[in-house]
């Protein structure tokens, strides 16, 4: 897939914030007002976390910190779930998960636009599918910043934390994703965009 050599920089000023959107059901951790980087993570699985208090579990936060603490200040970061929590049987069925993401797509967009991040890091298949508005094969999309028409900032799809914790054989690719993130941050969010992903599936909001 051809890559554009055109470089893009995030504008210095941002439009005034509107009314705070409805966060009911969504979980957000960190800077919930003006994050520079917004990590979009998988919806919480109720079978594993019966009383969730944040977008990530403690072990997930600790795991991620190993690879980002040396270049990210957590005051500049927010973690947002792609949709409200779901039982595991929904996550295990692609059609049911797509339906769940689609149901909350409009509210998800409103939350992201309110937060106005300089970069969106979409984690895993479900986080990336919700951000991009269509189904994503994360092994193909990960690691390269995308220019997506729904957002005015770069989107960087990466492997999800939970996936890498369960399948450590993918750790080296996850490290590479975090190194790409580090380069973008240190280069003041200037990126070389990849062409927009082309898929045969897109969410439609009724």
């Amino acid at each position: 897939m051809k890559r554009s050599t055109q470089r893009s920089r995030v504008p210095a000023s941002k439009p005034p914030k509107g009314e705070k959107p409805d966060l009911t059901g969504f979980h957000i951790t960190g800077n919930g007002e003006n994050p520079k980087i917004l990590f979009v993570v998988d919806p919480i699985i109720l079978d594993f976390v019966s009383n969730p208090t944040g977008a990530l579990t403690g072990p997930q936060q600790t795991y991620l910190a190993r690879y980002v603490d040396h270049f990210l200040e957590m005051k500049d970061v927010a973690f947002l779930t792609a949709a409200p929590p779901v039982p595991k049987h929904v996550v295990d069925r692609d059609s049911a998960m797509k339906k769940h993401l689609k149901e909350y797509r409009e509210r998800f967009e409103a939350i992201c636009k309110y937060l106005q991040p300089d970069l969106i890091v979409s984690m895993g298949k479900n986080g990336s599918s919700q951000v991009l508005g269509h189904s994503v094969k994360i092994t193909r999309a990960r690691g390269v910043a995308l220019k997506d028409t729904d957002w005015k900032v770069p989107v960087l799809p990466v492997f999800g934390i939970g996936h890498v914790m369960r399948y450590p054989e993918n750790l080296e690719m996850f490290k590479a994703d975090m190194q790409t993130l580090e380069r973008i941050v240190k280069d003041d969010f200037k990126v070389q965009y990849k062409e927009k992903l082309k898929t045969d599936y897109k969410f439609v909001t009724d």
Side-chain angles (χ1 to χ4, degrees):
M1 189 175 291
K2 186 178 179 181
R3 299 183 186 182
S4 170
T5 57
Q6 182 179 359
R7 294 173 74 83
S8 175
R9 184 168 184 154
V10 176
S13 61
K14 297 180 181 180
K17 286 182 179 289
E19 183 179 350
K20 192 166 186 174
D22 180 12
L23 294 171
T24 304
F26 287 85
H27 286 80
I28 187 166
T29 302
N31 184 342
E33 288 297 326
N34 57 346
K36 291 182 179 179
I37 301 174
L38 176 63
F39 287 84
V40 177
V41 302
D42 280 340
I44 293 165
I45 302 176
L46 291 172
D47 305 60
F48 301 149
V49 185
S50 58
N51 187 26
T53 58
L56 296 177
T57 65
Q60 287 174 333
Q61 292 185 53
T62 300
Y63 190 91
L64 179 63
R66 298 177 196 170
Y67 306 106
V68 302
D69 268 6
H70 65 285
F71 69 90
L72 281 187
E73 294 188 52
M74 298 316 291
K75 66 180 179 64
D76 295 329
V77 173
F79 297 90
L80 173 68
T81 52
V86 289
K88 188 174 184 300
H89 71 83
V90 171
V91 178
D92 290 341
R93 294 172 53 220
D94 278 351
S95 60
M97 194 65 210
K98 286 175 182 176
K99 182 178 180 180
H100 183 69
L101 292 174
K102 176 183 172 182
E103 180 180 354
Y104 292 97
R105 167 76 178 174
E106 188 173 341
R107 285 178 52 205
F108 171 81
E109 284 186 344
I111 295 169
C112 291
K113 289 175 180 177
Y114 174 83
L115 293 173
Q116 297 182 10
D118 294 331
L119 172 71
I120 298 174
V121 180
S122 59
M123 305 198 83
K125 179 179 73 172
N126 294 322
S128 296
S129 294
Q130 187 69 306
V131 169
L132 297 173
H134 53 68
S135 61
V136 170
K137 191 171 182 62
I138 194 63
T139 52
R140 294 182 181 175
R142 53 155 289 274
V144 181
L146 302 172
K147 182 177 181 179
D148 185 82
T149 56
D150 291 339
W151 312 102
K152 297 180 180 179
V153 299
V155 173
L156 177 64
V158 303
F159 270 127
I161 304 171
H163 175 84
V164 179
M165 291 175 72
R166 292 191 301 273
Y167 302 101
E169 60 268 26
N170 290 319
L171 176 58
E172 291 306 312
M173 285 188 284
F174 181 74
K175 287 181 180 179
D177 291 344
M178 296 302 100
Q179 289 166 359
T180 299
L181 173 59
E182 181 178 5
R183 288 195 297 271
I184 293 172
V185 171
K186 289 183 175 179
D187 203 19
D188 197 22
F189 300 100
K190 291 180 291 185
V191 301
Q192 290 188 340
Y193 285 130
K194 184 177 181 179
E195 294 286 341
K196 183 177 178 180
L197 289 179
K198 295 178 175 62
T199 66
D200 57 1
Y201 175 88
K202 186 171 180 65
F203 292 151
V204 178
T205 303
D206 296 331

